Amino acid sequence: MAPIVLELDAVLFDMDGTLISSTPAVNSVWTDFASKYGLDYNSILNESHGVQTIVSFRKYLPHLTEEERVEETKRFEAGIVPRASELMAQGKEGLEVLPGVRSLLDQLRQGPVNGWCIVTSATNAYASAALRILGPGLGAMPRDIITADDVSRGKPFPDPYLMGAKRLDVDISRCLVVEDAPAGALSGLAAGSIVLAVGTGYAPKLVQAVNPTYYVDDLSQVSAEWKDGKLFVTINQKD
């Protein structure tokens, strides 16, 4: 299959499952909360990835007040990085940079600061902690990082990616949204962006089911180049 070359204004990345993986740590923390509240662990995992934690708690913990759910969200996300550290100390997977990410980000960093950003459903506290730990593997962070604290409606609503494009001062229709989760892909599509789904987080068949514009197994199949101030992204899809 011939490579696809896109001329774009910017690339907007999801974080977890797209740039980094914290799945073992997140799943472990969900185990604690499922046990505490008597929840169906498998149902939570199938529906919570790519969605703001507070939204999941509103669905699964309707008996709590909103203030209590906010506090539980803070406690949940504050527990992810320490749990990841515990797992890594045991020689297990905790936090890692996903394939192809560093190379692609290095290429994007050759252009202007508004050429890319991160748009995550995580809170600022968790995103900052995770990115700080993985800094050596990821390199310098973008000027703009949109988190759950910045929008009232998270993915699958278009608000997060619309805000990302606004922060960068670019046209959302000339942006590539890179996502691993159905909720995130739907958010990018609803915002009017081109959407590239990656198979590094959610089950590939589930994210493909929402009909993203393109799909790759991981970001080693994607490269970026700046020519005369213009951004060109190449997607090498498999046959």
Side-chain angles (χ1 to χ4, degrees), residues 200-239:
T200 47
Y202 222 86
K205 66 179 181 180
L206 295 180
V207 70
Q208 287 176 306
V210 304
N211 296 315
T213 319
Y214 304 107
Y215 174 84
V216 293
D217 293 332
D218 61 52
L219 288 177
S220 66
Q221 295 172 240
V222 182
S223 61
E225 183 178 10
W226 294 92
K227 295 180 180 178
D228 299 323
K230 296 180 180 179
L231 172 61
F232 295 88
V233 171
T234 301
I235 302 171
N236 294 286
Q237 293 184 299
K238 292 183 178 180
D239 294 333

Side-chain angles (χ1 to χ4, degrees), residues 49-209:
H49 187 61
V51 177
Q52 292 179 1
T53 305
I54 186 66
V55 173
S56 295
F57 282 166
R58 286 173 184 148
K59 176 177 181 179
Y60 288 104
L61 305 175
H63 59 287
L64 297 185
T65 66
E66 184 66 4
E67 291 75 15
E68 289 171 330
R69 286 191 289 264
V70 168
E71 288 305 308
E72 287 292 69
T73 296
K74 292 178 181 177
R75 193 168 72 84
F76 181 97
E77 299 218 347
I80 297 173
V81 171
R83 186 63 53 84
S85 297
E86 291 173 10
L87 292 171
M88 289 187 286
Q90 298 167 13
K92 301 176 182 178
E93 292 182 355
L95 282 172
E96 63 177 344
V97 178
L98 289 166
V101 168
R102 179 58 188 262
S103 176
L104 178 57
L105 296 189
D106 283 345
Q107 293 159 2
L108 289 170
R109 280 189 278 259
Q110 301 305 308
V113 294
N114 68 335
W116 69 292
C117 73
I118 293 174
V119 180
T120 176
S121 294
T123 61
N124 183 63
Y126 164 59
S128 298
L131 294 173
R132 185 167 57 251
I133 286 179
L134 292 172
L138 283 168
M141 287 296 97
R143 180 192 66 186
D144 297 284
I145 300 177
I146 311 301
T147 72
D149 302 309
D150 296 312
V151 293
S152 57
R153 298 192 308 173
K155 304 170 188 179
F157 292 102
D159 307 36
Y161 283 111
L162 289 173
M163 178 167 285
K166 183 178 181 180
R167 288 267 189 94
L168 296 178
D169 193 26
V170 295
D171 182 346
I172 187 64
S173 69
R174 288 182 51 80
C175 290
L176 179 67
V177 162
V178 186
E179 272 281 356
D180 75 296
L186 288 170
S187 175
L189 291 169
S193 177
I194 305 165
V195 175
L196 171 66
V198 293
T200 47
Y202 222 86
K205 66 179 181 180
L206 295 180
V207 70
Q208 287 176 306

Side-chain angles (χ1 to χ4, degrees), residues 14-35:
D14 172 52
M15 187 180 75
D16 251 326
T18 300
L19 297 178
I20 69 173
S21 175
S22 64
T23 300
V26 171
N27 290 355
S28 179
V29 176
W30 269 123
T31 299
D32 296 344
F33 276 75
S35 176

